[in-house]
Amino acid sequence: MSGHGFHVHGPHDHELEHAAHSNDDFSSKIAVMTAIMATVGALIGYEGGATQNQSAMLKNSAAITKTDAANSWSHYQSKSNKQNLAELALSIPGVDGEKYKLDIERYKKEKEVIKKEAEAFEKQVVELEKLSEAALHQHHRWAQSMTAVQIAISLAAIALLTKKKWLEYASYGVATAGLGIAALAWLHI
């Protein structure tokens, strides 16, 4: 840091800094690849967070719409109760039957409109929940990809410390697998 306090470096940070200033091709190559993997990992992490938030927002919208559907069905039930009372009133001697017959017809028509509205809300809930599940699946792909990239970075650090070529190749292989999983996430597979 610039003269304030102190800064603790991990062993791989120290090696990466030295590799950047040396003429060691092995170390330089791993240092560059580690930086690239870290950058790719940051992008993958962003996408993972975005899809997680999208899934949560869609699930929230589904819950709100489900409440709208329940409210519509309650309204429907209210109209049914009024219709039932009007039908009952027809059986009372001495009442104006025409008035109650008109009320019954009006309630039937109102219930049809309310029923269509409630069913539309229910259909919207199903669609929102499907979209939420799809976004959550995509989030899981991004998370799997990010895990692979993090493992690749760790393998690269170990390769740098041990100077083992096979660890370098293992790091690149795991990073490639992570990119493959990221491609699946990108393609919504």
Side-chain angles (χ1 to χ4, degrees):
M1 291 177 57
S2 59
H4 301 301
F6 62 94
H7 185 74
V8 178
H9 288 282
H12 67 283
D13 291 330
H14 184 72
E15 287 294 322
L16 286 173
E17 286 179 17
H18 283 285
H21 300 294
S22 72
N23 289 331
D24 181 3
D25 285 341
F26 180 81
S27 297
S28 296
K29 187 167 43 168
I30 289 183
V32 169
M33 287 307 296
T34 302
I36 291 170
M37 287 187 280
T39 302
V40 169
L43 295 171
I44 290 170
Y46 172 80
E47 289 295 331
T51 53
Q52 184 178 26
N53 290 339
Q54 180 185 18
S55 175
M57 293 299 291
L58 288 165
K59 190 60 98 172
N60 187 50
S61 293
I64 291 168
T65 305
K66 195 176 284 189
T67 301
D68 291 340
N71 289 342
S72 290
W73 284 120
S74 293
H75 191 204
Y76 179 88
Q77 188 62 41
S78 166
K79 294 296 180 176
S80 291
N81 289 342
K82 289 179 180 183
Q83 179 183 337
N84 291 340
L85 288 173
E87 290 168 352
L88 182 64
L90 283 176
S91 65
I92 299 173
V95 298
D96 180 12
E98 279 307 307
K99 175 195 177 309
Y100 290 109
K101 286 180 184 176
L102 291 172
D103 285 346
I104 291 168
E105 287 308 309
R106 179 172 51 93
Y107 292 135
K108 284 182 183 178
K109 289 177 185 174
E110 289 174 352
K111 281 176 27 183
E112 280 306 309
V113 171
I114 295 167
K115 181 180 177 183
K116 287 179 183 174
E117 178 183 79
E119 289 170 344
F121 280 134
E122 287 179 340
K123 188 176 179 181
Q124 190 177 4
V125 167
V126 170
E127 186 60 32
L128 287 167
E129 286 179 345
K130 282 181 187 176
L131 291 171
S132 175
E133 288 301 315
L136 189 59
H137 174 73
Q138 188 182 20
H139 164 71
H140 287 153
R141 286 282 192 226
W142 287 119
Q144 292 165 343
S145 175
M146 183 63 195
T147 301
V149 169
Q150 289 172 337
I151 291 169
I153 291 170
S154 295
L155 288 173
I158 295 168
L160 185 62
L161 293 171
T162 62
K163 305 288 188 205
K164 302 285 184 189
K165 203 75 163 144
W166 69 270
L167 279 171
E168 175 189 9
Y169 295 133
S171 172
Y172 297 158
V174 174
T176 301
L179 290 175
I181 297 168
L184 294 175
W186 186 267
L187 296 171
H188 299 269
I189 296 173

